């Protein structure tokens, strides 16, 4: 089969002829119909040369080809979406890819493969951040819901999924920050207040939206360009709270979080039970169990129409169009949509 491997920035690529991979006992082999691109694709390869070229695709939508000996949920011919293990062989920039059965989920008939390809990595990042890291109530939990939430970056794929989930959970008020993706964020009908970062003074605008209510929970779905600073200022002004970030803060001035602000980080690898520097082994195991059932719950929400895939644009040229798409992500040229390759 063909796979596409990328390396370096500017993003370079080569097609390679490789064997169709074989699923392990707990894995699923999927014939890829569409794959979604993620900013991590360039982050993983930016320092690599040709010798380290990687099939960096992790978002799979396609049809089950075969399953490992322990897999009981899926059979050949099933429509699925799946999250591939990041950095491992048999990624989604190929004709066939492998994913753990636990991070594979049914793709309901009302969701196209192209739309489904934008779901696995970013929707689970949003879910782990909100529920496992920030400890917000699940859509299935009754009880206290008047919990103000800030989702910084409502037009990012992760932020938009977080807005949809937070709305389903019933927490609020929900405040978000966006720029050119603002009309899309409005169309989600999830946030109570949408702040336009292009107008400046984001901290004051968030405080005004809170109207005296304290903010204790924030997801930083941008996690770059010092996005953590206004968030920390608001949490601090509220007496303290937790900021969950997706990348560690980059702050060259020796800036540190105020004492009242707790930093935590989501890395979606914990969806397949992988520990990382900011969580314990126990948390990684809990996240893996959570991801198993929450992926299946996402299928249910998609089928009902109460959770929608991020808007997508199909890249021209199949595998050969992927490197150009990854470069556009690196250049920050993609607003409020997932780039997808067939
Ligand atoms: N740790 C993990 O496991 C994990 C998982 C997924 C993603 N991530 C990281 O999380 C970030 C988001 O990923 P993604 O795939 O969701 O991104 P994405 O969809 O590609 O994000 C694009 C959006 O970023 C928004 N944006 C850029 N700068 C902004 C700012 N200063 N304030 C508000 N919005 C801003 C833009 O909004 P406008 O169009 O409105 O300007 C744009 O629409 C990336 O850094 C990614 O690497 C980490």
């Amino acid at each position: 089969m063909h796979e596409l491997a990328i390396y370096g920035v500017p993003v370079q690529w080569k097609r390679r002829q490789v064997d169709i991979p074989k699923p392990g006992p707990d894995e699923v082999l999927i014939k890829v119909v569409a794959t979604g691109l993620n900013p991590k694709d360039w982050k993983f390869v930016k320092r690599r040369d040709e010798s380290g070229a990687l099939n960096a695709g992790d978002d799979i939508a396609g049809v089950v080809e075969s399953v490992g000996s322990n897999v009981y949920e899926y059979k050949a011919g099933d429509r699925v979406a799946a999250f591939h293990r990041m950095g491992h062989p048999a990624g989604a920039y190929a004709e066939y890819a492998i994913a753990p059965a636990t991070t594979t989920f049914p793709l309901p008939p009302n969701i196209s493969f192209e739309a489904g390809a934008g779901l696995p990595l970013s929707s689970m990042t949003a879910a782990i951040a909100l529920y496992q890291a920030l400890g917000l109530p699940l859509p299935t939990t009754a009880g206290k819901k008047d919990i103000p939430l800030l989702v910084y970056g409502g037009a990012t794929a992760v932020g938009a999924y977080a807005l949809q989930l937070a709305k389903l959970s019933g927490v609020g008020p929900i405040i978000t920050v966006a720029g050119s993706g603002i009309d899309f964020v409005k169309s989600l009908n999830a946030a109570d207040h949408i702040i336009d970062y292009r107008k400046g003074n984001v901290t004051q605008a968030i405080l005004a939206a809170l109207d005296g209510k304290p903010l204790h929970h924030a997801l930083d779905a941008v996690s770059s360009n010092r996005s953590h600073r206004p968030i920390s200022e608001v949490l601090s002004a509220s007496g303290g709270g937790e900021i969950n970030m997706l990348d560690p803060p980059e702050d060259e001035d020796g800036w540190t979080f105020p004492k009242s602000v707790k930093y935590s980080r989501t890395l979606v690898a914990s969806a397949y039970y992988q520990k990382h520097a900011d969580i314990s082994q126990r948390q990684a195991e809990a996240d893996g169990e959570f991801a198993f059932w929450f992926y299946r719950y996402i299928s249910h929400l998609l089928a009902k129409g109460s959770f929608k895939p991020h808007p997508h644009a199909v890249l021209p040229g199949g595998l050969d169009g992927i490197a150009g798409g990854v470069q556009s992500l690196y250049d920050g040229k993609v607003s409020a949509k997932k780039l997808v390759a067939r």
Side-chain angles (χ1 to χ4, degrees):
M1 68 164 189
H2 285 129
E3 74 170 6
L4 183 100
I6 59 170
Y7 58 99
V9 173
V11 183
Q12 299 177 71
W13 59 280
K14 58 182 184 181
R15 249 178 196 264
R16 340 191 248 223
Q17 184 80 40
V18 295
D19 291 339
I20 295 176
K22 290 192 174 45
D26 299 303
E27 293 176 337
V28 179
L29 175 68
I30 300 162
K31 188 170 166 78
V32 182
V33 178
T35 178
L37 278 54
N38 288 286
K40 63 139 277 296
D41 301 355
W42 64 259
K43 293 180 184 179
F44 267 58
V45 302
K46 67 180 173 185
R47 292 197 186 85
R48 294 183 185 215
D49 61 17
E50 190 174 353
S51 64
L54 177 72
N55 167 357
D58 297 316
D59 272 337
I60 311 169
V63 177
V64 173
E65 180 74 11
S66 64
V67 300
S69 53
N70 295 336
V71 177
Y72 58 90
E73 292 172 281
Y74 305 108
K75 59 179 184 325
D78 287 350
R79 295 176 95 245
V80 293
F83 176 36
H84 164 263
R85 279 190 197 87
M86 300 185 290
H88 285 242
Y93 293 171
E95 293 174 73
Y96 295 86
I98 293 223
T102 57
T103 60
T104 300
F105 56 105
L107 197 59
N110 58 326
I111 307 295
S112 70
F113 289 113
E114 291 79 2
L119 283 162
L121 187 150
S122 7
S123 67
M124 188 49 61
T125 307
I128 290 176
L130 293 185
Y131 303 123
Q132 297 292 96
L134 291 172
L136 293 172
L138 288 156
T140 52
T141 311
K144 183 176 154 55
K145 300 281 189 169
D146 52 337
I147 305 172
L149 171 68
L150 172 64
V151 176
Y152 202 100
T156 66
V158 175
Y161 287 138
L163 288 175
Q164 291 195 61
L165 291 173
K167 175 85 174 175
L168 287 167
S169 281
V171 298
I174 302 172
I175 300 164
T176 195
V177 178
S180 39
I182 224 159
D183 287 339
F184 158 69
V185 176
K186 282 183 190 155
S187 77
L188 288 174
N189 207 17
D192 301 290
H193 303 275
I194 305 173
I195 288 153
D196 187 340
Y197 65 78
R198 295 167 300 184
K199 293 185 177 161
N201 213 342
V202 173
T203 304
Q204 283 312 316
I206 299 170
L207 287 169
L210 282 164
D211 194 22
K213 292 187 192 67
L215 178 81
H216 300 308
H217 300 87
L219 166 59
D220 184 353
V222 173
S223 294
S224 64
N225 294 324
R226 299 182 173 181
S227 48
H228 55 285
R229 286 201 185 189
I231 301 171
S232 300
E233 283 164 6
V234 176
L235 290 170
S236 193
S238 299
E242 179 165 351
I243 177 173
N244 187 258
M245 296 188 66
L246 305 180
D247 279 343
E250 283 174 358
D251 224 314
E252 61 279 11
D253 296 346
W255 184 95
T256 52
F257 286 108
K259 278 209 168 57
S260 63
V261 175
K262 182 186 166 210
Y263 159 79
S264 63
R265 180 176 177 224
T266 293
L267 180 61
V268 65
S270 65
Y272 44 81
Y273 302 88
Q274 189 172 299
K275 186 190 156 356
H276 61 87
D278 294 305
I279 61 168
S280 62
Q281 184 61 42
R282 196 167 163 195
Q283 185 63 54
E285 275 157 31
D287 288 356
E289 292 295 285
F290 169 81
F292 168 80
W293 75 261
F294 205 84
Y295 270 130
R296 284 134 186 90
Y297 183 54
I298 287 175
S299 297
H300 167 70
L301 295 174
L302 290 166
K304 280 207 304 185
S306 49
F307 187 72
K308 301 232 176 341
H310 205 49
H312 68 273
V314 178
L315 293 161
L319 282 178
D320 295 349
I322 286 175
V326 176
Q327 182 67 43
S328 306
L329 290 176
Y330 176 79
D331 293 334
K333 286 188 183 152
V334 182
S335 174
K337 60 174 179 278
K338 268 275 161 205
L339 298 182
V340 166
R342 287 199 182 102

